Amino acid sequence: MLRRLSGRTHEVVTGVCLVGREQAHSGVERTLVTLAPMTDDEVAWYVGTGEPLDKAGAYHVGGMGALFIEEIQGSPSNVAGLPV
């Protein structure tokens, strides 16, 4: 996955719905993330840290994965979990 995202911009989309007794509120947050081109050695190093293994996009925006992020357009918290 990291090789496919390397050097490209991708979109992170999060949908949220809160349901109460008589009403529901929903929304969608979209964030564009551009990753720097990564060499095979960089991918191997990062995977070797274990950090990307339980992440949906195979990187952690608030951890060592931030080293490879060139640009975020939108909410960084959306990339890390739920949008604030």
Side-chain angles (χ1 to χ4, degrees), residues 1-6 10 33 35-69 79-80:
M1 183 177 290
L2 287 170
R3 284 187 182 103
R4 292 188 71 184
L5 295 174
S6 172
H10 62 281
V33 180
L35 292 185
M38 299 171 72
T39 67
D40 287 343
D41 287 344
E42 289 172 326
V43 171
W45 170 81
Y46 185 49
V47 170
T49 69
E51 183 177 87
L53 300 181
D54 63 348
K55 308 296 184 279
Y59 67 92
H60 180 39
V61 68
M64 290 177 275
L67 295 169
F68 305 106
I69 295 175
V79 181

Side-chain angles (χ1 to χ4, degrees), residues 13-54:
V13 181
T14 303
V16 177
C17 183
L18 301 173
V19 179
R21 291 184 181 168
E22 296 183 20
Q23 37 182 322
H25 299 280
S26 62
V28 175
E29 184 71 27
R30 298 174 185 276
T31 304
L32 295 176
V33 180
T34 302
L35 292 185
M38 299 171 72
T39 67
D40 287 343
D41 287 344
E42 289 172 326
V43 171
W45 170 81
Y46 185 49
V47 170
T49 69
E51 183 177 87
L53 300 181
D54 63 348

